[in-house]
Every structure is written in C-alpha cells, then in structure tokens.
C-alpha cells in the first residue's frame, strides 16, 4: 500500500519536531496541546490493529483522573481488553516518528505483524468531557479516514462503555447490544433481577450519594437513572454542572488524600462513592458518629464481591476455581483476610489493569481490584456456561435462587474492564442482599494504616523492580536499606516503584499505627532520594 495520502494528511496534525512521548501504564497522557499528532497516529494504529485482528478496535480519548488540561488516549483490543503489550512499542514509535519517517514506521509495523493491508478495518471512537476531547477525537477520526477505514463515533461515553461496545461488536452482539442504550438495558435488567431477590432492605440505606468527579461518569449515570427505576436511589454531586473535572473531587482525590471531596456535608450513616474522570474507578466512604472518615477502597470491594460469589458457589454446590488478584498496594489486612478467613487464593501482579486482567483470566472466576478502585470480575467460558445451565435447571428453590443470582451477577459485571457504574450497582445489590450497612461492610477487616509518597529523581528508570514490584533490584543497596527500615516497625511493609504515569518514584508503607506508617514512608523516601538520584530538597518528615 502507498502511504502517501496518510503522510500528506498528517501535515494537518503535524508532530512538533523533537517531541518525544512515552506510552504510559494505560496509554499516552500529557498536556492536551501536545496530543493532536498522537491522536491522528493512534487512529492509524487502530486501523492497523483492526486489519490484523479483523475486528473492531476502540480508541478512547481521555486522561482519566488527570487534571482537566491534560488528555490522553486508550486503545481497546477486540474483546474489550487493553491493547496487547507488544503493540505498545508500535504505539510509541508511531507517536514519536518525525513526519518524514511516518511511512517507514507504518510499513515496519505492517510487516512485523503481517498485517494484510487490503483487509477492511473498523474503529469505535469515544471521548470524555474534557474541553479538548472533541477536537482530539476528530484527529483520531482523521487518522482512521486517511487510512480509508470505517469508524463509528460514539461521542461522549465512559471508558468502560467503549470497552463494552467493542466487545459487543466483536462477539456478534453476544455480549450485549453494542450501544450505550444496550449497556443501560443489560446492566439495569441484571441489577433489577438481583435486587428482587432481597426480601427487604434491612438496615442497608437505599440512598447512595455519588461524586461524579465532574466528568463523564456523572453524565452517563444521569442518563442511566430512568432505567434503574426506584431500585437504587442515586443522588449525584460534582455532576459537572458547575465544578471542574477531577478538581478536589473524584476517586483518585479521595483515595490519595484519604478525605471526602471538597464541598460536601457528610452525615453519619450516609453512604458515598466517588468515580474517577472516565468512570473506570470507584471508591466508597462514610463518616462515623465521631466524624471520623472511613474509606472503602478496591481491596474492600474485592473482598465484598468475592465473598458474595463464594457464598453463592457454596450454596449451589459448584466447585469453580476462584482467585483474587491484587497489586503490591493492596492493604496487608485485605490479603490476610482473603487468604486466612475466606480461604481464597490471592495473587499479586504488577500495577496496571492489563497485568491484573491477564492473571485473572487463569481462574474460572478471577476477581481483580487495584486498591485505587479499578477492578472487575472475569468468568471463564466454562464457568459462565456452567452457571447459566444450572440456573435453567429445576431444583431446590434456595439453590435455584442462588444460581439465578450468580447468573445476574455475570450480566451485571462489565467483564471487559473495571467499571464504576457496574461496580457500584453490584456493590449496591450485595449490600441489600446481605442487609449490610456500609459500616458493617467496613468492619469485615481493619485496614493497616498506610502512607503513599512521591520522590522526584533525575531518572526514575534507575529503579528496577522484581516480584510484582515488591522488591527493588537496582540501584544497589536500596532494597537492603528498605529491609532494615521495615524491621523497625510492627506489621510493616514497604516498597518503591517508578510511576508509569508521572515522572516520580512512588513509595508505599504500612505499619501498625499511622505514625509508624508515616515514619516508615518518610525514611524509605529518604533512602530513595539518596540512593536513586533525588533532585530538589530531600523529603521532609510528615
Ligand atoms: C493507570 C492504570 C492504573 C494504575 C495507575 C498507576 C489502567 C487502565 N490504569 O492509571 O491501573 O493503577 O496507572 O499509576 O491500567 P502509576 O504507575 O503512576 O502509579
Ligand atoms: Mg480512569
């Protein structure tokens, strides 16, 4: 194929000479004004990937929880997973090619991946509510059309909605109807069915107050509300009508700051949750009667969901292999509870959804959650078929009810990727079914006090890790140092890793008291600063 047209049209989305961007944990992410050429080129890459896989590929324009001025792009593979790791390298070389090298890079990728250029291609495009997203998604579309491929612009959608749509399109709609309406219908039907199984609410409050991070999640949840009828009373705040996206609100703010979003009044016993800027993360929280703030993060969510599923499996008498997948950030108490009390195998992977997702695929039922609130449940084909068959069979009423509940759980979960809306609905259903207040859910285990810090270093790549990022290999001496520091405290643990989304080294520490967790985090930060080329002032004690 002649790439001349593509190169010619690229002039309208020209790359600033010399600008180099790295593909981060979940795609490119930086100031919106640096991304026009990246979007055009990711349109091109999506076409190549679509031709190679003979499937629809998704391109989502979003920078998730980053500030409103940033933007980014996530590519969605055929079954709704994130772009295959091998293609991240191509994404990087395409994004960073100077204009005159564009055709060569495209040819190289096509050859390496044996892409049949005559093959048809289709790209599904979506975007979040950032002011820059509309133009940037047009740049994606320009790339797709320059290649002579087809596309559908789904406009404003959450990231998980685009993942869902891509999966539907590639499974001949078996996964669901490939529209946003289809998504609302599938989820609300499963939720309503599941809710119906509860005899009463017990003490579980019906209202959930949702912080939409002033983003796409708020918009889409509003759209979905009529489908949910009276089953779930949602009160939205930070819904985007006044505040700025992710500004002092949203799941990342609440998780990192360990405090409520700005500008809200919380009464004891009220139940809150926060979405992030593209609605693929969720955390819950409340205040107790002494106004103490309590966060229920991804670990608590994983525990709630996996316990619920395990109990149902026992009821119906299925011995499917279930596992929980976490990262090094998982609170030590959650891991201990899952392994020792729930007797569920727990695996630890590197940070980033693609790693957890991959590991979760190895079990019949893989529940994966990052502590930051991104997660979902994967059911293997066999597990899904077994459950659906069972739900059809005539049997003991209680057993039948449990089998139906499992089936509705499968339909309510967005298996393609973590999904704040879907996760919220499954949590709300479980709380009602188990008649749990948010405090009772929280009391299942007590989090170890922990602290996360960042250290600026000249080059964060000097830090190399192993054992799912729990141990440092280089620079020499750093791990020994951390080991010594950890020994000073009870129930303690600490690790460091280079961030995949920011130019910093992240430090995590937990210990028996908040004071000790803070002290350990600070001491580890100092060790990083001194041994890994810290810049600026050394970290100060908290
Ligand atoms: C991205 C990842 C998230 C991870 C975070 C870590 C996806 C969809 N998102 O947001 O899973 O927790 O990066 O950021 O994979 P860090 O590398 O800066 O700590
Ligand atoms: Mg996100």
């Amino acid at each position: 194929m002649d790439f001349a047209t593509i190169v010619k049209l690229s002039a309208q989305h020209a790359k600033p000479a010399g600008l180099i961007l790295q593909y981060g944990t979940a795609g490119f992410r930086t100031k919106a004004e640096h991304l026009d050429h990246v979007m055009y080129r990711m349109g091109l890459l999506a076409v190549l990937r679509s031709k190679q896989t003979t499937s629809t590929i998704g391109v989502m324009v979003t920078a998730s929880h980053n500030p409103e001025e940033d933007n980014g792009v996530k590519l969605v593979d055929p079954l709704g997973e994130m772009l295959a790791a091998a293609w991240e390298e191509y994404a990087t070389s395409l994004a960073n090619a100077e204009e005159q090298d564009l055709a060569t890079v495209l040819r190289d990728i096509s050859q390496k991946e044996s892409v049949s250029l005559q093959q048809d291609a289709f790209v599904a495009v979506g975007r979040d509510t950032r002011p820059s997203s509309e133009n940037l998604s047009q740049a994606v579309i320009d790339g797709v059309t320059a290649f002579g491929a087809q596309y559908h612009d789904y406009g404003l959608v959450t990231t998980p909605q685009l993942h869902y749509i891509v999966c539907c399109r590639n499974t001949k709609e078996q996964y669901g109807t490939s529209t946003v309406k289809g998504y609302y219908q599938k989820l609300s039907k499963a939720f309503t069915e599941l809710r119906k199984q509860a005899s009463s609410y017990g003490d579980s409050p019906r209202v959930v107050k949702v912080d939409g991070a002033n983003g796409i999640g708020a918009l889409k949840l509003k759209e979905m509300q009529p489908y949910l009828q009276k089953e779930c009373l949602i009160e939205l705040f930070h819904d985007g009508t006044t505040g700025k996206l992710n500004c002092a609100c949203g799941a990342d703010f609440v998780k990192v700051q360990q405090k409520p979003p700005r500008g809200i009044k919380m009464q004891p016993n009220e139940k809150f949750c926060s979405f992030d800027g593209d609605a693929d993360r969720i955390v819950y929280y409340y205040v107790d009667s002494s106004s103490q703030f309590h966060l229920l993060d991804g670990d608590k969510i994983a525990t709630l969901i996996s316990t619920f599923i395990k109990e149902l499996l026992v009821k119906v008498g299925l011995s499917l292999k279930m596992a929980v997948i976490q990262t090094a950030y998982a609170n030590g108490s959650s891991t201990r509870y899952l392994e020792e009390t729930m007797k569920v195998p727990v695996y630890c992977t590197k940070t980033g959804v693609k790693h957890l997702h991959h590991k979760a695929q190895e079990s019949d039922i893989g529940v994966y959650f990052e502590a930051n609130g991104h997660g979902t449940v994967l059911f293997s084909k066999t597990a899904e078929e077994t459950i659906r068959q069972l739900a059809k069979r005539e049997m003991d009423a209680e057993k039948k009810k449990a089998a139906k509940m499992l089936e509705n759980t499968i339909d309510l979960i967005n298996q393609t990727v973590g999904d704040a809306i879907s996760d919220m609905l499954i949590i709300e259903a479980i709380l009602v079914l188990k008649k749990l207040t948010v405090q009772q859910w929280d009391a299942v285990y007590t989090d170890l006090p922990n602290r996360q810090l960042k250290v600026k270093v000249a080059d964060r790549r000097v830090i190399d890790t192993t054992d799912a990022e729990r141990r440092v290999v280089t620079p020499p001496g750093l791990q020994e140092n951390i080991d010594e520091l950890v020994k000073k405290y009870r129930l303690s643990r600490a690790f460091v890793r280079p961030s995949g989304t920011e130019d910093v080294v992240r430090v995590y520490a937990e210990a028996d008291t908040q004071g000790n967790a803070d002290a350990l985090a600070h001491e580890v930060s100092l060790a990083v600063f001194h041994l890994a080329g810290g810049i600026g002032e050394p970290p100060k004690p908290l």
Side-chain angles (χ1 to χ4, degrees), residues 266-280:
M266 296 176 71
Q267 303 295 338
N269 299 320
E270 283 180 337
K271 180 171 55 177
F272 287 80
C273 66
S274 286
F275 292 5
D276 76 336
D278 64 341
D280 63 355

Side-chain angles (χ1 to χ4, degrees), residues 25-26 29 64-65 74 82 280-281 329 351-354 356 370 372 374 417 497-502 506:
T25 315
R29 215 179 275 186
S64 185
H65 58 274
K74 295 178 175 179
M82 297 181 63
D280 63 355
R281 276 165 60 175
Y329 288 104
T351 300
V353 171
K354 56 196 172 204
L356 292 109
E370 287 191 301
N372 65 23
H374 186 119
V417 79
R497 55 175 282 278
S499 159
T501 62
E502 256 187 274
R506 297 205 192 281

Side-chain angles (χ1 to χ4, degrees), residues 496-534:
V496 306
R497 55 175 282 278
S499 159
T501 62
E502 256 187 274
D503 193 10
V504 295
V505 174
R506 297 205 192 281
V507 172
Y508 175 92
E510 62 186 32
D512 56 345
T513 65
Q514 190 61 54
N516 286 344
D518 290 353
L520 179 57
H522 172 247
E523 287 160 355
V524 173
S525 300
L526 276 178
V528 171
F529 186 87
H530 291 303
L531 294 170

Side-chain angles (χ1 to χ4, degrees), residues 157-325:
V157 285
T158 67
T159 295
Q161 284 175 335
L162 189 72
H163 283 252
Y164 162 89
I165 285 168
V166 169
C167 182
C168 293
R169 292 190 62 104
N170 291 322
T171 55
K172 297 200 173 70
E173 311 264 313
Q174 249 185 23
Y175 190 63
T177 309
S178 60
T179 57
V180 173
K181 190 174 170 200
Y183 168 95
Y184 295 143
Q185 284 170 333
K186 179 177 173 180
L187 266 62
S188 59
K189 180 168 179 281
F191 176 73
T192 310
E193 297 271 314
L194 203 51
R195 252 293 288 118
K196 263 200 248 155
Q197 308 285 344
S199 45
S200 75
Y201 276 90
D203 292 332
S204 176
R206 290 182 71 182
V207 178
V208 55
K209 299 196 172 188
V210 185
D211 159 19
N214 289 321
I216 187 70
L219 205 71
K220 295 291 140 174
L221 191 57
K222 229 182 261 176
E223 231 171 70
M224 190 178 186
Q225 265 172 313
Y227 294 83
L228 295 169
Q229 297 153 0
K230 301 252 173 316
E231 307 295 348
C232 181
L233 300 181
I234 295 161
E235 282 180 24
L236 257 170
F237 62 102
H238 290 310
D239 65 352
T241 44
T242 53
K244 206 172 163 183
L245 177 71
N246 295 329
C247 183
C249 62
D252 196 64
F253 175 87
V254 175
K255 167 74 183 161
V256 175
Q257 307 282 327
Q258 308 211 12
K259 64 179 187 200
R262 194 192 292 158
I264 58 156
K265 281 208 167 54
M266 296 176 71
Q267 303 295 338
N269 299 320
E270 283 180 337
K271 180 171 55 177
F272 287 80
C273 66
S274 286
F275 292 5
D276 76 336
D278 64 341
D280 63 355
R281 276 165 60 175
I282 184 170
V283 293
Y284 269 70
Y285 45 94
Y286 67 96
V287 291
D288 63 23
S289 46
S290 45
S291 300
Q292 172 85 27
F293 176 79
H294 295 265
L295 178 72
L296 293 101
D297 61 5
D299 304 335
K300 293 263 171 173
I301 299 173
T303 311
L304 182 78
I305 298 179
S306 55
T307 306
F308 175 71
I309 294 176
K310 185 160 181 190
E311 286 168 359
L312 290 177
L313 289 174
V314 170
K315 260 190 203 156
V316 297
L318 283 179
S319 57
L320 293 167
K321 197 177 113 209
M322 185 170 83
V324 175
I325 327 297

Side-chain angles (χ1 to χ4, degrees), residues 61-132:
V61 177
T62 181
S64 185
H65 58 274
N66 284 39
E68 189 168 88
E69 302 70 44
D70 289 6
N71 218 321
V73 58
K74 295 178 175 179
L75 277 91
V76 185
D77 249 6
L79 291 179
E81 325 92 302
M82 297 181 63
L83 180 70
W87 278 67
E88 292 182 359
E89 203 182 299
Y90 305 140
T92 310
S93 48
L94 197 54
N96 292 323
E98 298 304 333
E99 291 297 316
Q100 66 274 16
D101 302 326
L102 197 53
T104 315
V105 173
L106 286 170
R107 203 166 297 123
D108 280 356
I109 300 171
S110 314
Q111 279 168 4
K112 269 195 197 139
E113 290 294 325
S114 317
V115 176
S116 156
L117 292 168
Q118 308 317 320
Q119 180 68 42
D120 287 342
F122 197 97
V123 178
V125 183
R127 65 171 197 272
D128 72 9
T129 54
R130 276 160 220 271
S132 60

